[in-house]
Amino acid sequence: MKLLEDKIRQDGIAVNEHILKVDSFINHQIDPLLMQEMGKDIANHFQNKGITKVATIESSGIAPALMTAAAMNVPLIILKKQPSKILNQDLYQTVVTSFTKETNYELTLSKKYINDNDHVLIVDDFLANGEAATAALRLLRMSHATIAGLAVLIEKSFQPGRDKLQNQGIEVYALARISKMAENYIEFIP
Ligand code: 5GP
């Protein structure tokens, strides 16, 4: 998506070869019109796929996921992070290892908001190693819902996330695909 690539070139900060900061328009301060356009683009790509719900992981996926859900006119489910494991019969639960924060956390979803009739699109801000998306998949599949795909704003294609998801039969749609980064240097896949 040209709009996003231009914005990343203008305001994104490549900290090093691994980390891109987009705090001024996605992660800390949000550009609402850009976010709305990105939501519409994702909704457009997945239209006529019978999607009943959009799901995301709190917290940085909420803005793009909400815009996508609004454009599709379906509910948004937020998979919630909890620091400790407290077993609860009303929840689906799975443990996630966060490489960026080097911690483990529990991802949870209330059984009330999902069932086997749901066809779910997962939306997140970044795809890197694919750990967060894989955990979301694992959790959603516990409910026997089916998965329509994964949409992300920014894919770091030099990391293994896309392959990991596609190997599980998941369609991956990314609005901007970065093939290479270095300090103050960003290269996109056309
Ligand atoms: P993954 O599980 O695919 O490795 O990474 C998932 C999460 O890590 C993303 O949802 C995002 O919040 C965060 N993340 C990974 N790489 C980056 C990055 O380069 N910049 C920012 N801002 N967040 C990242």
Side-chain angles (χ1 to χ4, degrees), residues 18-23 27 57 60-61 81 96-101 105 124-134 156 159 161 181:
H18 302 294
I19 301 288
L20 176 67
K21 291 204 83 154
V22 287
D23 279 2
N27 285 144
I57 299 170
S60 51
K81 289 176 184 169
V96 187
T97 304
S98 167
F99 286 104
T100 38
K101 301 204 173 88
Y105 61 88
D124 206 356
D125 59 342
F126 273 86
L127 176 62
N129 290 314
E131 290 303 321
T134 301
K156 293 188 291 180
Q159 289 181 262
M181 282 195 327

Side-chain angles (χ1 to χ4, degrees), residues 18-150:
H18 302 294
I19 301 288
L20 176 67
K21 291 204 83 154
V22 287
D23 279 2
S24 67
F25 58 104
I26 292 178
N27 285 144
H28 197 8
Q29 169 173 266
I30 292 175
D31 179 335
L33 290 183
L34 172 64
M35 201 56 90
Q36 190 171 34
E37 288 310 308
M38 295 194 288
K40 283 185 200 162
D41 183 300
I42 295 169
N44 194 37
H45 181 85
F46 284 95
Q47 70 179 346
N48 306 323
K49 293 271 167 77
I51 290 163
T52 62
K53 279 174 189 168
V54 170
T56 193
I57 299 170
E58 67 176 0
S59 56
S60 51
I62 294 175
L66 179 60
M67 291 302 185
T68 305
M72 288 180 158
N73 194 22
V74 298
L76 165 65
I77 315 171
I78 300 164
L79 308 180
K80 297 177 81 76
K81 289 176 184 169
Q82 288 184 353
S84 64
K85 184 163 183 160
I86 305 156
L87 276 178
N88 184 328
Q89 288 196 340
D90 302 326
L91 299 176
Y92 295 113
Q93 295 173 281
T94 190
V95 175
V96 187
T97 304
S98 167
F99 286 104
T100 38
K101 301 204 173 88
E102 292 178 350
T103 51
N104 281 350
Y105 61 88
E106 189 84 4
L107 201 62
T108 69
L109 165 61
S110 169
K111 294 181 181 176
K112 272 193 285 194
Y113 302 126
I114 186 116
N115 64 52
D116 57 1
N117 291 319
D118 281 315
H119 192 48
V120 183
L121 174 65
I122 303 169
V123 177
D124 206 356
D125 59 342
F126 273 86
L127 176 62
N129 290 314
E131 290 303 321
T134 301
L137 264 181
R138 207 159 57 233
L139 197 63
L140 290 162
R141 280 177 170 156
M142 288 178 191
S143 69
H144 300 289
T146 51
I147 309 299
L150 168 71

